[in-house]
Amino acid sequence: MTDETGILAFGGYVPRLRLQRSSVFASVGWFNPGLKGLARGERAASSWDEDPITMAVEAARDCLGDRDRSEIARLSLASTTLPNADRLNAGIVKEALNLGDDVAASDAAGSLRAGTSALMLALDAVGGSAGNVLCLSAERRKAAPGSESELLHGDASAAILVGRGEPVARYLGGTSLTADFVDHFRENGRDFDYFWEARWIRDEGYSKLVVAAIGAALDKLSLKADRIDRAILPFVEKGVADQLAKRAGIRPEALVDPMQATVGSAGAAHPMLLLAYALEQAQPGEILLVAGFGQGCDVLLFEVTDAILARRKEGGVSAWLARRKEESNYIKFLFFRDLIGLDTGARAEFDQKVPLTALYRSRKAVLGLVGGRCTKTGTVQYPKSDISVNPNDHSVGTQEDYPFAERRAKVLTYTADSLTFSPDPPQYYGMIEFEGGGRMMAEIVDCDEGDVAVGAPLRMMFRIKARDEMRGFTKYFWKAVPAA
């Protein structure tokens, strides 16, 4: 066992829906024929009930697996599209992961390099007295309909657990360069970024700032550029990463696929998503370089250790990439992102006010999906209550916490309801039963006709339950999805 600083675990998440770029061009190409050059491949598109918080939870679960979560001392969530301006977004993730109240949580925002900056700060911190830090990043950017950004952007999240011990990749060091280079910006309250001229961004921004930061990092560590085995330059614009690698002296074959054809740019989450993807394939001894760009540039370098071989796992970014459904309905994509209004009818008109006192008292049950287990009979139930549901022994005060979120389940009964309001009808819901006992009524999402049947396996995912549009509050809960 070593005692080095580095990456202990990694994971990611890519939403199931993949908007076909050709479908966007088919709808808006009459207005902007110049988009044809970007109309190839697909971009990851979150469903109506996904946001940076829910995606970050999934990336964290992918990263942690069966790992003991009590080892996490801090949690950070980086994004430029955090849903809450004054409610700790990372705090909601902390509750969903069922972490202890002694975990410090913080949000990072304000730049597309918020993810790499938070990761670098965490690595510097764990080198001191801090415990393990779970670094999360997630992005769900809005773009004006018919814009280049709509085709280039994608939704995704990533998770990197850093700390001391036996890392899968030891941290060699890094450097940051900061300059108020404004290639794009978005004022508070606005939906869309405003971009400056592409050639200026490429020639004055990427070519000078990124190349300078890479050079500074390599000089600091006395490394030659041709020693880099995998270079993560998170630019999906055609040819940009290749040009930067050439200017920096990095071998072209070292470039990691920027996922332009499959995901699109996930903003602040993109460098960490590509890092997690690269680690899935990396071999011991390889040197990885990660760059994050935004009003300057962060560059981090890692060396993969032998521990990577023992930490290979099923799942990861590759598995999320394989879990996909092509979406060609451009209007549906716009509706899911609140970019177009549809007549939702009277059934959608009901007050969604959340009693905050009840939410706080029941946050473990609601956000953490923690039920109860009777210490006398072993009966498990959701929700937890003072009186056991065991029909032969209604013991009182014997319940202990019993988390359900990581337990597989199966369908007992279900219905597909087209009468009740849902942004994505029909709404599937029914009674599900968990492995080891415990039943609950649950919504079933990420499914189509034929995907749900009695006895079908399910897993739980943290999703948006509903939005209180009147007061601007989002309700979260757990839903079931078909499990492979």
Side-chain angles (χ1 to χ4, degrees):
M1 175 70 75
T2 63
D3 186 25
E4 299 176 302
T5 297
I7 296 173
L8 303 177
F10 54 90
Y13 174 71
V14 181
R16 171 176 175 254
L17 297 180
R18 308 297 161 79
L19 179 67
Q20 302 302 297
R21 293 189 174 108
S22 58
S23 68
V24 180
F25 182 73
S27 298
V28 302
W30 63 273
F31 182 72
N32 187 356
L35 292 177
K36 188 173 183 179
L38 300 174
R40 292 187 288 272
E42 58 192 24
R43 54 152 294 172
S46 53
S47 186
W48 72 270
D49 60 353
E50 294 183 292
D51 68 7
I53 289 176
T54 67
M55 291 192 291
V57 170
E58 286 308 316
R61 297 172 74 197
D62 186 61
C63 170
L64 297 174
D66 297 330
R67 202 177 184 99
D68 182 4
R69 298 182 183 183
S70 65
E71 69 179 59
I72 299 171
R74 302 185 184 189
L75 178 155
S76 68
L77 172 58
S79 176
T80 68
T81 53
L82 292 170
N84 298 291
D86 191 355
R87 179 187 177 192
L88 187 61
N89 297 278
I92 302 170
V93 176
K94 170 261 169 190
E95 300 288 2
L97 295 177
N98 201 23
L99 303 180
D101 288 351
D102 57 347
V103 170
S106 60
D107 295 339
S111 167
L112 289 187
R113 64 171 169 136
T116 51
S117 295
L119 179 61
M120 187 176 288
L121 286 172
L123 286 161
D124 290 340
V126 298
S129 59
N132 294 347
V133 184
L134 180 59
C135 298
L136 308 175
S137 57
E139 204 79 276
R140 186 182 194 260
R141 291 188 286 177
K142 278 187 178 181
S147 65
E148 289 188 9
S149 298
E150 187 174 54
L151 295 173
L152 290 172
H153 290 178
D155 305 328
S157 59
I160 305 288
L161 177 67
V162 301
R164 295 187 66 83
E166 188 173 15
V168 296
R170 67 175 62 89
Y171 182 48
L172 299 179
T175 190
S176 285
L177 184 158
T178 299
D180 188 28
F181 179 84
V182 188
D183 57 327
H184 73 280
F185 60 89
R186 172 164 39 90
E187 186 182 41
N188 275 338
R190 292 183 183 265
D191 284 337
F192 310 129
D193 293 353
Y194 181 87
F195 286 84
W196 205 246
E197 197 267 324
R199 190 174 65 175
W200 179 75
I201 297 170
R202 184 188 62 231
D203 294 347
E204 193 68 24
Y206 298 159
S207 296
K208 294 184 178 178
L209 297 176
V210 176
V211 173
I214 291 174
L218 294 175
D219 288 345
K220 183 178 178 181
L221 299 171
S222 301
L223 278 173
K224 299 291 186 183
D226 60 3
R227 181 66 181 82
I228 304 302
D229 297 293
R230 297 181 193 265
I232 295 162
L233 303 179
F235 305 100
V236 298
E237 297 90 340
K238 186 177 181 181
V240 169
D242 301 86
Q243 290 181 20
L244 294 179
K246 184 177 181 180
R247 284 174 177 268
I250 296 172
R251 293 175 291 112
E253 59 269 25
L255 277 176
V256 172
D257 175 11
M259 297 186 184
Q260 189 276 339
T262 54
V263 177
S265 172
H270 210 54
M272 287 171 55
L273 179 74
L274 298 184
L275 173 58
Y277 182 63
L279 285 168
E280 290 177 15
Q281 302 147 43
Q283 298 299 317
E286 289 188 356
I287 302 294
L288 275 60
L289 178 148
V290 187
F293 181 79
Q295 287 74 64
C297 186
D298 297 321
V299 175
L300 300 88
L301 286 133
F302 300 92
E303 181 178 15
V304 180
T305 72
D306 292 340
I308 195 77
L309 300 175
R311 308 265 175 91
R312 300 274 191 223
K313 61 177 182 178
E314 294 182 358
V317 178
S318 299
W320 291 119
L321 288 172
R323 176 187 178 265
R324 56 185 285 278
K325 176 192 176 187
E326 293 186 8
E327 180 58 70
S328 299
N329 190 333
Y330 181 50
I331 296 297
K332 183 177 179 181
F333 169 79
L334 295 177
F335 180 58
F336 279 7
R337 304 179 90 81
D338 298 324
L339 292 172
I340 188 174
L342 297 177
D343 182 4
T344 53
R347 294 178 188 273
E349 298 172 357
F350 51 93
D351 197 352
Q352 297 279 356
K353 184 177 180 178
V354 175
L356 298 181
T357 46
L359 175 61
Y360 177 69
R361 290 171 183 148
S362 303
R363 64 188 191 281
K364 270 192 174 184
V366 176
L367 300 176
L369 200 63
V370 176
R373 177 184 177 278
C374 176
T375 54
K376 180 180 178 183
T377 65
T379 302
V380 297
Q381 62 183 76
Y382 184 87
K384 183 180 177 181
S385 65
D386 289 337
I387 304 174
S388 173
V389 298
N390 187 315
N392 300 315
D393 190 341
H394 294 303
S395 297
V396 178
T398 58
Q399 300 275 306
E400 64 179 4
D401 286 350
Y402 188 85
F404 281 100
E406 304 304 329
R407 295 188 173 275
R408 295 298 178 107
K410 64 179 181 181
V411 178
L412 285 183
T413 64
Y414 76 96
T415 187
D417 191 340
S418 294
L419 294 178
T420 189
F421 169 71
S422 170
D424 189 17
Q427 185 174 58
Y428 286 82
Y429 57 87
M431 181 66 71
I432 67 172
E433 183 175 56
F434 292 92
E435 290 178 353
R439 296 178 176 183
M440 66 178 287
M441 287 291 292
E443 289 183 47
I444 306 170
V445 296
D446 286 0
C447 57
D448 299 302
E449 185 175 357
D451 289 344
V452 182
V454 173
L458 303 167
R459 71 183 295 267
M460 306 306 291
M461 292 183 79
F462 192 65
R463 293 295 186 92
I464 293 171
K465 174 67 176 174
R467 290 191 179 92
D468 177 353
E469 302 288 355
M470 186 180 300
R471 305 167 192 84
F473 191 86
T474 301
K475 297 166 63 176
Y476 296 93
F477 192 52
W478 292 83
K479 299 179 182 179
V481 302

